[in-house]
Amino acid sequence: MVKACGGLPLAVIVLSGTLATKKDLNEWATVNRNIKAHLGRGNNLINEEGNLHKILALSYNDLPYKLKPCFLYLSRYEEDSDIGTEKLYQLWIAEGIISTKDQIGEESMMDVAERCLGELVTRCMVQ
């Protein structure tokens, strides 16, 4: 899988974040097949420009549906900007990105938002 990333650190990091959410070897094999499908047989990132976005797309497409709006919301901020997490949580809640149906047990809405951000961090989608 690292070979498919062409040794590009960002691609390797994003791929590792995707793999971190997988529970068994069958799920890893699925990710491996999807990388090949995205990059095409015989192509790699070093030889063909533009394939890095395919690795990143794989990572985005692998996100659970509920996390996609959370991730996309971050595009309103400039790259490498510091984002106050508490304010971000409040904005997600106010915009309806996080709702009561996302709660597990006695979780507060802020807990749900924190859990969603934590999942994005685990997947290496944000730092």
Side-chain angles (χ1 to χ4, degrees):
M1 286 188 241
V2 171
K3 188 183 236 182
C5 294
L8 296 173
L10 177 60
V12 172
I13 289 168
V14 170
L15 177 60
S16 69
T18 299
L19 292 173
T21 65
K22 305 305 174 196
K23 295 179 177 89
D24 59 40
L25 289 177
N26 289 331
E27 291 181 353
W28 278 51
T30 301
V31 171
N32 189 38
R33 280 191 305 276
N34 288 337
I35 288 172
K36 291 177 181 175
H38 278 277
L39 298 179
R41 296 207 181 274
N43 295 332
N44 73 38
L45 292 171
I46 294 173
N47 294 335
E48 185 178 325
E49 288 192 31
N51 279 345
L52 178 59
H53 76 280
K54 293 178 182 177
I55 290 285
L56 298 176
L58 172 65
S59 183
Y60 174 77
N61 292 334
D62 190 58
L63 280 176
Y65 180 75
K66 67 178 182 170
L67 290 181
K68 289 181 180 184
C70 295
F71 178 71
L72 293 175
Y73 191 86
L74 297 173
S75 68
R76 72 184 297 253
Y77 296 96
E78 291 184 28
E79 185 176 354
D80 296 328
S81 63
D82 290 330
I83 303 168
T85 54
E86 199 158 311
K87 176 156 176 121
L88 177 65
Y89 300 159
Q90 292 169 350
L91 290 169
W92 280 351
I93 294 165
E95 296 279 348
I97 293 171
I98 303 292
S99 71
T100 55
K101 61 184 170 184
D102 298 317
Q103 290 175 304
I104 299 173
E106 299 292 318
E107 263 184 333
S108 71
M109 295 293 283
M110 294 294 273
D111 292 336
V112 174
E114 184 175 19
R115 180 170 39 86
C116 290
L117 183 61
E119 288 183 47
L120 291 173
V121 169
T122 298
R123 293 169 174 270
C124 301
M125 301 288 286
V126 297
Q127 293 181 344

